[in-house]
């Protein structure tokens, strides 16, 4: 008897590794700084919108989330036809890949980068072309442009890059976009856009103007604090946006998620104050670690990256012992989200002790 047959590319698919939650402890407060979430609870306006929307959950949501699409079009000064939503931007990335790539095609992206890219590419049956990051953790845009061939359908620029936090600058991105053939889609994944303070890091929306092949991906999960509700979106040319809508899960964005996202947009002043605070905390932790002697590259997101090679898991264990759960990438490094001030303080302490230990 033979077993039911599955697609070989699905059977060999690596499972998505999410950031772990800390184990409850009685001696100290533990902190989850492994998934780049905001440590802040939703503002009152968002909670109230969620509670109000809860009364209508016996009805299907608006399949087109028209109110949210309208609000986003206004907020970002684009046409509603240019917006496509999904259940998190991770889903939007998948929708775009289904729409654009299949067996025989290739997708180019930097590596190490966002874990969802190789998984989604494999699901479409296309081939991944991974271009190593430069030694300073930045995208090697020249090598990425070189890697594009006639099979390439999509190229990802993760800006800032998850997990390394580095970002591409405006002039190099412009040169890159000029080099990419106009029939290849360039995805600017800007999940952490709001945490950028460096004016040399470009706004993808401005870079996309006048370029039909550039798609900007944003999310409500990070700066807007709605990771648990799953809403992300693409801003693209009307034709590409339509393709992303066609491949969406029907009724995927729930009525509660839509209401919360609308309220979050209305709460931007409050949310962006928090973002500013987190960006300052990021720079504080970064400076402290640099002063301790770590080789650490600037981060433009709400996390920092330490390249530790084969000490990554050892560092994560030291953090765990101190009640903070971070995200190790075995053999490479660790990604540490910026969280509560106390959690950030503990990161600095653990890093200090760890340095002394490996120096001795
Ligand atoms: C967190 C993250 C996302 C957002 O994922 P959601 O599905 O919107 O929660 C997208 N891209 C990158 C690079 C990320 O780190």
């Amino acid at each position: 008897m033979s077993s039911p047959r599955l697609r070989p590319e699905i059977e060999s698919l690596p499972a998505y590794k999410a950031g772990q939650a800390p184990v409850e402890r009685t001696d100290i407060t533990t902190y989850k700084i492994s998934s780049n979430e905001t440590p802040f609870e939703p503002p009152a306006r968002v909670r109230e919108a969620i509670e109000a929307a809860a009364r209508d959950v016996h009805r299907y949501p608006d399949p087109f989330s028209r109110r949210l699409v309208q609000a986003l079009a206004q907020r970002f000064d684009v046409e509603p036809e240019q917006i496509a939503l999904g259940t998190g931007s991770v889903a939007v990335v998948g929708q775009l890949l289904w729409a654009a790539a299949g067996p025989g095609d290739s997708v180019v992206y930097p590596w190490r980068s966002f874990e969802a890219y190789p998984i989604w590419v494999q699901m479409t049956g296309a081939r991944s072309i991974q271009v190593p990051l430069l030694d300073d953790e930045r995208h090697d845009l020249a090598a990425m442009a070189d890697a594009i061939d006639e099979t390439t359908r999509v190229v990802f620029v993760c800006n800032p890059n998850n997990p390394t936090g580095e970002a591409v600058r405006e002039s190099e991105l412009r040169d890159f976009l000029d080099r990419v053939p106009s029939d290849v889609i360039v995805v600017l994944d800007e999940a952490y856009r709001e945490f950028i303070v460096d004016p040399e890091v470009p706004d993808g929306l401005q870079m996309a103007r006048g370029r039909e092949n550039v798609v900007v991906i944003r999310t409500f999960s990070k700066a807007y604090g709605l990771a648990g509700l799953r809403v992300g979106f693409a801003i693209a040319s009307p034709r590409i946006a339509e393709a992303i809508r066609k491949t969406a899960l029907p009724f995927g964005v729930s009525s509660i998620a839509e209401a919360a996202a609308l309220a979050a947009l209305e709460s931007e002043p409050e949310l962006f104050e928090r973002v500013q605070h987190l960006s300052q905390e990021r720079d504080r932790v970064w400076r402290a670690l640099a002063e301790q002697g770590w080789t650490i590259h600037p981060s433009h997101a709400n996390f920092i990256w330490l390249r530790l090679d084969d000490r990554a898991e050892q560092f994560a264990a030291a953090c765990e012992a101190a009640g903070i759960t971070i995200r190790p990438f075995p053999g490479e490094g660790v990604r540490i989200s910026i969280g509560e001030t106390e959690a950030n303080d503990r990161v600095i302490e653990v890093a200090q002790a760890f340095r002394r230990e490996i120096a001795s």
Side-chain angles (χ1 to χ4, degrees), residues 135-137 286 289-298 305-308 355:
D135 285 344
D136 63 1
E137 310 291 358
W286 185 89
L289 267 55
E291 274 164 26
Q292 292 171 10
W294 293 93
T295 308
I296 177 170
H297 296 282
W305 169 252
L306 278 181
R307 201 161 271 285
L308 285 157
R355 263 203 92 73

Side-chain angles (χ1 to χ4, degrees), residues 110 113-114 117 137-139 141 144 156-174 186-196 198 200-205 207 216-218 299-301 303:
S113 189
F114 189 33
Y117 302 154
E137 310 291 358
R138 290 154 32 122
H139 285 41
L141 289 175
M144 286 171 62
F156 282 95
V157 174
C158 190
N159 208 36
N161 189 46
N162 177 7
T164 61
E166 255 296 7
V168 304
R169 303 304 191 273
E170 179 157 347
S171 59
E172 58 176 343
L173 183 57
R174 206 175 287 283
V186 180
V187 178
L188 304 178
D189 185 341
E190 297 190 328
Y192 304 96
R193 167 73 217 162
E194 299 81 4
F195 297 95
I196 296 170
D198 185 338
E200 278 183 49
V201 180
D203 178 344
L205 285 174
M207 303 301 282
V216 177
I217 306 261
R218 302 267 178 101
S299 168
H300 300 266
F303 54 82

Side-chain angles (χ1 to χ4, degrees), residues 226-268:
L226 296 179
L229 282 176
R230 317 306 304 125
V231 201
F233 57 98
I235 301 181
S237 66
R239 185 163 153 263
I240 295 179
E242 188 185 3
I244 298 174
R245 283 192 291 271
K246 282 183 184 168
T247 47
L249 182 74
F251 302 105
V253 176
S254 72
S255 42
I256 292 184
E258 185 186 13
L262 278 163
L265 281 176
E266 289 163 8
S267 310
E268 273 187 353

